[in-house]
């Protein structure tokens, strides 16, 4: 939740040419700010903090959107697509935000 995230000490998480400054809630790629929506930012953090573990769409909906009810999973997919456009060198062949077929997504640094 947002409250839990606020209690974590600010940190800078780096992977590839991307850096996430959790204190400033700022994501940069090659030193340039990435214009991420609030939800895309939360989605990125949710994936990064799993350190390679797979996150199901349902887990991501609950964690990022606060939905415990059945909501269309395309919500997650469309935000993942946006995230890839912002942080991946080649969004069509992502290196960091990977799809785990029939399960969800996982992050690779």
């Amino acid at each position: 939740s947002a409250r839990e995230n606020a209690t974590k000490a600010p940190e800078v998480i780096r992977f590839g040419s991307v850096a996430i400054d959790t204190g400033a809630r700022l994501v940069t790629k090659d030193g340039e700010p990435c214009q991420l929506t609030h939800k895309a930012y939360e989605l990125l953090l949710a994936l990064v903090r799993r350190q390679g573990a797979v996150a199901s769409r349902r887990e991501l909906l609950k964690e990022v959107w606060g939905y415990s009810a059945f909501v269309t999973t395309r919500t997650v997919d469309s935000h993942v697509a946006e995230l890839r456009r912002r942080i991946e060198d080649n969004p069509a062949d992502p290196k960091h935000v990977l799809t785990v077929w029939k399960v969800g997504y996982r992050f690779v640094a």
Side-chain angles (χ1 to χ4, degrees):
S1 76
R3 193 177 305 117
E4 288 167 2
N5 289 346
T7 59
K8 289 190 170 111
E11 59 185 321
V12 177
I13 303 162
R14 296 179 193 282
F15 57 92
S17 59
V18 177
I20 307 167
D21 181 336
T22 62
R25 295 182 62 87
L26 179 68
V27 179
T28 56
K29 183 176 188 321
D30 297 320
E32 296 293 316
C34 284
Q35 299 301 321
L36 291 183
T37 64
H38 176 73
K39 292 299 182 198
Y41 175 83
E42 293 295 327
L43 178 61
L44 178 59
L45 274 190
L47 289 166
V48 167
R49 291 208 162 114
R50 280 178 167 75
Q51 300 178 318
V54 176
S56 73
R57 286 175 177 86
R58 186 174 296 163
E59 288 170 335
L60 292 170
L61 278 169
K62 189 171 169 66
E63 189 170 332
V64 177
W65 284 267
Y67 297 151
S68 51
F70 290 96
V71 182
T72 171
T73 57
R74 296 299 303 165
T75 300
V76 176
D77 299 342
S78 61
H79 279 77
V80 165
E82 180 209 338
L83 197 51
R84 285 176 173 157
R85 282 194 298 275
R86 303 285 185 198
I87 69 168
E88 297 282 0
D89 291 332
N90 179 1
D93 182 24
K95 301 278 185 273
H96 301 296
V97 180
L98 306 182
T99 301
V100 180
W101 196 64
K102 297 263 191 185
V103 181
Y105 296 97
R106 97 186 154 96
F107 172 81
V108 176

